[in-house]
């Protein structure tokens, strides 16, 4: 048996879609490729839009359950679903990638651009090395000015987007509950959720559409960038 070398994210045009897996399974999309020592795809991890994970073996489809790593956060207790450990489930036997990042990669709308606090829009791209989206922003010098190289060209850095759980339930990896946003927008949404709780509204009990309406603005148009 060939040795597993690494897990890689499939490029958009290489992603495998299984419309009718059979046995009552929902539509599946590939989210990780296992590349062996010969450079060949040895195994594929698929996920549904509902946060379920599967592999296909010779005898059919096999469900792969997420793992919850021990959590050292002070005051962490079991949830209503009796889930303990890390707030973010991961696929320990598949590169230790978090479940929500894999579902977002395969199913969530990828923003073509993002609007920052300065009012300017930045194009967004997918980094297939880590399966995360990013935009390029100016690097600032010690005085807060745009940094330039020796040739006078502006220096840019990658700023990665984060994946927001709309209802604040970190083990709810339904694609409808996930959205690519900037870290600043993610923090703003935390404050909005706190305000909702003060008004007696529990984000966990609200629909995804109600939460999007409560958050108000969107950072990007409804567009998909196949990159």
């Amino acid at each position: 048996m060939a040795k597993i070398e690494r897990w890689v994210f499939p490029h958009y045009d290489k992603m495998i879609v299984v419309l009718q897996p059979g046995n009552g399974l929902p539509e599946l999309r590939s989210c990780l490729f296992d590349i062996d020592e010969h450079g060949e795809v040895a195994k594929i991890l698929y996920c549904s839009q509902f946060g379920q994970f599967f592999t296909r073996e010779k005898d059919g489809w096999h469900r792969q359950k997420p793992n919850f790593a021990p959590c050292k956060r002070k005051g962490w207790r079991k949830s209503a679903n009796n889930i303990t450990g890390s707030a973010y489930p991961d696929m320990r036997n598949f590169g230790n990638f978090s479940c929500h990042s894999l579902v977002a990669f395969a199913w969530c709308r990828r923003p073509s651009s993002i609007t920052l606090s300065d009012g300017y829009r930045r194009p967004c791209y997918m980094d297939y090395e880590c399966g995360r989206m990013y935009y390029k922003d100016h690097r600032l010098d010690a005085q807060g000015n745009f940094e330039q190289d020796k040739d006078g060209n502006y220096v840019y850095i990658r700023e990665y987007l984060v994946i927001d759980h709309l209802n604040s339930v970190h083990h709810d990896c339904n694609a409808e509950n996930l959205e690519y946003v900037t870290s600043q927008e993610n923090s703003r949404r935390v404050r909005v959720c706190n305000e909702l709780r003060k008004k007696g509204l529990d984000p966990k009990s609200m629909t995804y559409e109600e939460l999007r309406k409560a958050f108000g603005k969107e950072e990007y148009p409804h567009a998909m960038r196949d990159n």
Side-chain angles (χ1 to χ4, degrees):
M1 180 180 293
K3 179 182 178 182
I4 295 176
E5 286 293 301
R6 65 189 188 281
W7 291 96
V8 301
F9 291 88
H11 198 274
Y12 190 86
D13 58 1
K14 301 294 183 182
M15 186 178 290
I16 300 173
V17 178
V18 185
L19 297 175
Q20 296 178 325
N23 297 326
L25 298 180
E27 178 183 337
L28 301 175
R29 296 183 184 180
S30 59
C31 54
L32 276 179
F33 285 172
D34 159 26
I35 306 300
D36 63 22
E37 57 188 336
H38 305 300
E40 302 293 332
V41 177
K43 181 179 287 188
I44 300 174
L45 180 65
Y46 297 85
C47 68
S48 73
Q49 62 179 315
F50 309 110
Q52 304 161 321
F53 294 87
F54 299 87
T55 56
R56 192 170 190 174
E57 312 295 342
K58 292 182 179 180
D59 58 347
W61 292 98
H62 287 250
R63 178 84 175 266
Q64 303 295 331
K65 294 184 179 180
N67 303 101
F68 288 84
C71 184
K72 297 180 180 180
R73 188 163 61 184
K74 184 178 180 181
W76 181 261
R77 294 181 175 85
K78 290 184 179 181
S79 69
N81 294 325
N82 204 36
I83 293 177
T84 59
S86 171
Y88 299 97
D90 60 46
M91 302 303 293
R92 187 172 304 166
N93 297 324
F94 300 89
N96 287 316
F97 292 103
S98 60
C99 295
H100 67 278
S101 64
L102 294 173
V103 173
F105 174 84
W107 287 93
C108 287
R109 180 172 50 119
R110 299 178 182 178
S112 60
S113 61
I114 211 85
T115 302
L116 304 181
S117 57
D118 58 12
Y120 288 98
R121 301 188 76 83
R122 305 286 196 277
C124 292
Y125 309 90
M126 174 60 73
D127 182 348
Y128 283 93
E129 290 296 318
C130 60
R132 299 174 62 190
M133 295 211 69
Y134 70 94
Y135 62 92
K136 295 179 181 179
D137 201 8
H138 292 284
R139 187 163 70 185
L140 303 179
D141 58 23
Q143 289 72 41
N145 301 315
F146 294 158
E147 187 173 326
Q148 297 178 312
D149 59 22
K150 61 181 180 179
D151 297 320
N153 299 314
Y154 289 120
V155 178
Y156 292 90
I157 58 175
R158 287 188 179 187
E159 294 287 353
Y160 284 93
L161 301 182
V162 299
I163 300 169
D164 177 43
H165 292 72
L166 298 179
N167 62 8
S168 301
V169 179
H170 294 158
H171 59 265
D172 182 354
C173 295
N174 189 318
E176 285 294 313
N177 189 43
L178 306 175
E179 196 168 70
Y180 286 108
V181 297
T182 64
S183 56
Q184 294 82 2
E185 171 65 7
N186 193 44
S187 297
R188 186 187 74 87
R189 292 183 177 193
V190 170
R191 294 192 294 271
V192 171
C193 285
N194 289 335
E195 290 299 321
L196 290 173
R197 295 185 183 97
K198 291 179 181 179
K199 297 177 181 179
L201 298 174
D202 186 357
K204 298 178 183 178
S205 303
M206 300 173 66
T207 66
Y208 302 136
E209 289 305 316
E210 287 174 339
L211 287 166
R212 288 191 175 90
K213 184 176 180 180
F215 293 144
K217 67 175 184 178
E218 284 196 50
E219 292 179 306
Y220 48 85
H222 293 271
M224 173 74 79
R225 189 185 187 94
D226 301 344
N227 54 28

